[in-house]
Amino acid sequence: MSATDTAIKPPVSMALPGLGRALIAAGKLGQKAAEEIFLKAQASRTSFIAELTGSGAVSAFDLAHLMSTSFAAPLVDMDAIDNQRLPKGLLDSKICLTCRIVVLGKRNNRLIVATADPSDQGAAEKIKFSTQLGVDWVIAEYDKLSRLVDVSNASAAEAIENIVGSDFEFDEEMADSPGAENTEASVSEVEDAPVVKFLQKMLIDAFNMRASDLHFEPFEHSYRVRFRVDGELREISSPPVAIKEKLAARIKVISKLDISEKRVPQDGKMKLKIGPDRVIDFRVSTLPTMFGEKIVIRILDPSSAKLGIDALGYEPAEKERLLEAIKRPYGMVLVTGPTGSGKTVSLYTCLNILNTAGVNIATAEDPAEITLPGVNQVSMNEKAGMTFPVALKAFLRQDPDIIMVGEIRDVETADIAIKAAQTGHLVLSTLHTNDAPTTLTRMRNMGIAPFNIASSVILITAQRLARRLCPHCKTPIDIPRETLLEAGFKEDEVDGSWTPYHPVGCDKCNNGYKGRLGIYQVMPISEEIQRIVLRDGSAMEIAAQAQAEGVRSLRQSGLYKVKLGMTSMEEILGCTNV
């Protein structure tokens, strides 16, 4: 054999793969070119098909069409395949990565597998040995297939690292880990570093963005994280759906919840240290859904309860009425509004004002949200038998001066609270009603006698939170007189002496708004309103009497903020009724 023949023919151990022979037989590639590509592939330790398409000798498009024709296999466009809808767990990801294949589905005892090289008998044997299933090939372009292989088999950890960044560091100290009831496997599962890093980043980002709560929402093929900023939900991140179990378990561990219980809702609490001397509390609520547990984390900043009543946005007359009511020795003060309207902060602000060394204050909450030094706070625990009625009865035996009930939910709680208010205690609580007048009729509908309502309730504050206009980008707007009158302004208020503003949006705000402000209806219970309650009058009668006594409705209070240029007309129309 000549030296030339030795140079041309590869050694027996370097025999051309089936793909190379098929290309030569089809006339798409010469023998010499195929052998050179094969030698380069072996030298660089890559596959023959990768070197083939990478060198440009045959395009991935032409190769796919040739393989489809030669092997009588269907051709599929991998760009049309949704990665999130691919079946999981049918084949080891290591085989998919090394053989550059994607499992598209399963039919009876056979797998449908996308490949660019159906001549690769080694890949077929590996699949059969691993799954004990047959293989039906479909053909795909190598470049598109490779991209989908890499995306499909990228670990959740790698995907989270891309979201968080590899240089992210934390100094925060989370709450204590759960007790011995968690198994070793559970604990190791939730200590996955990328998940821990991702969760802490979300909490820090939410705090920095002044969000009120975080929503972790699993769906069938996706996972979504949203923050509520200035009352508006905004999508922040879409981590891999594969992390939903570990993320839920991690949140449960640091919230001291049962990580093995996924069938019923759970409530908990956790802490995050921000800086050397500041700790933020988070209230956690889990909810089982069709595709996993949705988790909502509410941010409870203790400093918000220490801002003082002036920071809440009460007008001077409203502030005076509220302060006068909470400084009375006995009676009931109610704060009403929907979830997220700031009722808790208002109550805690009042407690802060009343919290002195000479006063005994006890609170019953579900759960206690913000820690107040000097206040005896009790969290409800229905499993252990600690309910609102049980707590209130215990309070009355401990000589309290002021009692705060997180929420009046039933007639038993209401009865005990009213009796406390009638026997020398100041009682603060909340109800979920739309405005102050309907609160009295709501209590009547709960089964409380009109006499007890009239003799115990001394003031009701209804409230909403409206978005505050950004001072940097708000601009004047011309609103027709008829529109202002229809919104609720009086004739003498549309005289052109003030200018309405509307949101624009800039790099310092959120679509034209930055922060929120309170809108209040502060209604003292006068003797005339007591008479209406005693004769079982309607909410409309109570509202009319309150108006006659100078009490603004929520809409009127909001429109006053519009006159001051603090918020927009559309914001007030959206969060109040006429």
Side-chain angles (χ1 to χ4, degrees), residues 3 12 83 108 115 117 173 214 224 274 322 338 357 366 394 426 448 451 503 519 577:
V12 175
N83 170 51
N108 298 324
T115 182
D117 183 9
E173 297 176 4
L214 304 83
R224 180 172 68 181
I274 307 289
L322 179 60
D366 187 18
L426 179 65
I448 304 169
F451 170 79
I519 298 171
N577 290 327

Side-chain angles (χ1 to χ4, degrees), residues 80-134:
I81 301 295
D82 183 356
N83 170 51
Q84 297 294 336
R85 295 182 179 272
L86 289 173
K88 308 294 182 184
L90 292 179
L91 183 63
D92 189 345
S93 61
K94 290 182 180 179
I95 297 177
C96 295
L97 284 168
T98 55
C99 299
R100 312 308 286 173
I101 56 177
V102 171
V103 178
L104 300 180
K106 180 184 176 185
R107 185 189 296 120
N108 298 324
N109 62 342
R110 301 184 70 82
L111 290 180
I112 303 169
V113 183
T115 182
D117 183 9
S119 68
D120 187 354
Q121 292 300 315
E125 292 301 323
K126 287 179 183 178
I127 296 171
K128 291 177 182 177
F129 180 78
S130 175
T131 64
Q132 305 302 308
L133 299 172

Side-chain angles (χ1 to χ4, degrees), residues 115-349:
T115 182
D117 183 9
S119 68
D120 187 354
Q121 292 300 315
E125 292 301 323
K126 287 179 183 178
I127 296 171
K128 291 177 182 177
F129 180 78
S130 175
T131 64
Q132 305 302 308
L133 299 172
V135 179
D136 288 333
W137 294 120
V138 296
I139 310 302
E141 296 169 49
Y142 182 73
D143 52 352
K144 295 180 180 180
L145 178 66
S146 290
R147 286 197 296 270
L148 190 61
V149 168
D150 291 334
V151 170
S152 301
N153 294 282
S155 67
E158 291 171 351
I160 295 173
E161 286 291 346
N162 291 333
I163 296 172
V164 177
S166 59
D167 59 345
F168 199 91
E169 296 182 359
F170 297 93
D171 295 323
E172 295 78 22
E173 297 176 4
M174 305 305 290
D176 294 337
S177 295
E181 68 271 15
N182 295 305
T183 65
E184 291 183 8
S186 300
V187 173
S188 63
E189 179 187 45
V190 300
E191 288 178 351
D192 184 87
V195 172
V196 173
K197 183 182 288 189
F198 176 74
L199 175 60
Q200 290 182 319
K201 175 175 169 55
M202 290 296 101
L203 295 176
I204 295 294
D205 285 353
F207 179 76
N208 290 336
M209 292 174 66
R210 301 172 61 87
S212 59
D213 41 63
L214 304 83
H215 295 244
F216 296 87
E217 301 168 307
F219 299 100
E220 185 174 8
H221 303 294
S222 63
Y223 195 86
R224 180 172 68 181
V225 180
R226 295 191 292 174
F227 294 171
R228 188 178 293 279
V229 181
D230 294 337
E232 186 178 56
L233 278 172
R234 299 168 57 186
E235 184 168 344
I236 300 298
S237 178
S238 297
V241 70
I243 75 164
K244 64 181 181 181
E245 298 291 343
K246 288 186 176 181
L247 187 58
R250 174 63 182 170
I251 293 172
K252 286 181 176 181
V253 163
I254 57 180
S255 305
K256 300 181 181 179
L257 300 178
D258 184 355
I259 65 174
S260 64
E261 181 56 77
K262 303 177 183 179
R263 300 165 299 175
V264 296
Q266 297 186 68
D267 293 304
K269 193 174 181 180
M270 61 185 182
K271 295 178 182 290
L272 180 65
K273 191 173 183 181
I274 307 289
D277 57 355
R278 189 173 188 186
V279 176
I280 303 300
D281 292 328
F282 297 89
R283 191 176 71 187
V284 179
S285 173
T286 71
L287 177 68
T289 67
M290 286 180 63
F291 304 108
E293 289 180 285
K294 175 182 177 180
I295 299 176
V296 176
I297 300 177
R298 174 161 290 186
I299 299 175
L300 307 170
D301 187 358
S303 62
S304 62
K306 301 176 183 178
L307 294 175
I309 194 168
D310 292 323
L312 298 183
Y314 283 93
E315 297 303 322
E318 297 168 344
K319 171 185 169 184
E320 185 179 346
R321 290 173 191 156
L322 179 60
L323 291 177
E324 182 183 344
I326 65 173
K327 289 179 180 177
R328 290 172 64 170
Y330 57 88
M332 179 180 286
V333 175
L334 295 172
V335 181
T336 72
T339 301
S341 60
K343 299 188 299 296
T344 299
V345 172
S346 293
L347 279 179
Y348 278 52
T349 300

Side-chain angles (χ1 to χ4, degrees), residues 281-521:
D281 292 328
F282 297 89
R283 191 176 71 187
V284 179
S285 173
T286 71
L287 177 68
T289 67
M290 286 180 63
F291 304 108
E293 289 180 285
K294 175 182 177 180
I295 299 176
V296 176
I297 300 177
R298 174 161 290 186
I299 299 175
L300 307 170
D301 187 358
S303 62
S304 62
K306 301 176 183 178
L307 294 175
I309 194 168
D310 292 323
L312 298 183
Y314 283 93
E315 297 303 322
E318 297 168 344
K319 171 185 169 184
E320 185 179 346
R321 290 173 191 156
L322 179 60
L323 291 177
E324 182 183 344
I326 65 173
K327 289 179 180 177
R328 290 172 64 170
Y330 57 88
M332 179 180 286
V333 175
L334 295 172
V335 181
T336 72
T339 301
S341 60
K343 299 188 299 296
T344 299
V345 172
S346 293
L347 279 179
Y348 278 52
T349 300
C350 291
L351 288 178
N352 238 7
I353 295 171
L354 299 169
N355 187 16
T356 62
V359 176
N360 180 17
I361 303 176
T363 72
E365 304 168 72
D366 187 18
E369 296 186 354
I370 299 174
T371 302
L372 290 177
V375 175
N376 304 291
Q377 297 174 270
V378 178
S379 288
M380 299 301 96
N381 186 343
E382 291 192 6
K383 288 184 179 179
M386 177 60 80
T387 61
F388 280 115
V390 170
L392 287 176
K393 289 175 183 176
F395 288 171
L396 294 177
R397 292 191 290 270
Q398 298 223 337
D399 188 29
D401 298 300
I402 299 167
I403 296 172
M404 195 270 272
V405 184
E407 182 184 348
I408 293 178
R409 299 177 179 174
D410 52 59
V411 66
E412 185 180 5
T413 304
D415 277 337
I416 300 172
I418 283 174
K419 288 174 183 175
Q422 291 172 335
T423 54
H425 307 90
L426 179 65
V427 179
L428 309 179
S429 190
T430 69
L431 269 176
H432 287 273
T433 57
N434 290 326
D435 58 15
T438 56
T439 303
L440 295 172
T441 54
R442 164 77 176 128
M443 295 179 74
R444 183 70 187 92
N445 292 336
M446 288 175 67
I448 304 169
F451 170 79
N452 285 331
I453 299 172
S455 62
S456 59
V457 181
I458 57 176
L459 181 132
I460 301 171
T461 295
Q463 64 182 69
R464 297 288 189 279
L465 288 178
R467 291 181 292 174
R468 186 189 296 270
L469 282 169
C470 173
H472 301 285
C473 65
K474 68 177 183 179
T475 58
I477 184 174
D478 185 22
I479 301 178
R481 175 186 176 88
E482 294 75 17
T483 304
L484 295 174
L485 292 173
E486 186 179 346
F489 283 105
K490 298 177 182 177
E491 286 283 351
D492 59 347
E493 291 179 318
V494 291
D495 54 4
S497 61
W498 56 277
T499 303
Y501 291 85
H502 76 117
V504 176
C506 66
D507 58 356
K508 297 181 180 180
C509 66
N510 178 28
N511 297 325
Y513 296 98
K514 187 175 183 180
R516 291 195 284 179
L517 54 89
I519 298 171
Y520 302 94
Q521 179 185 28

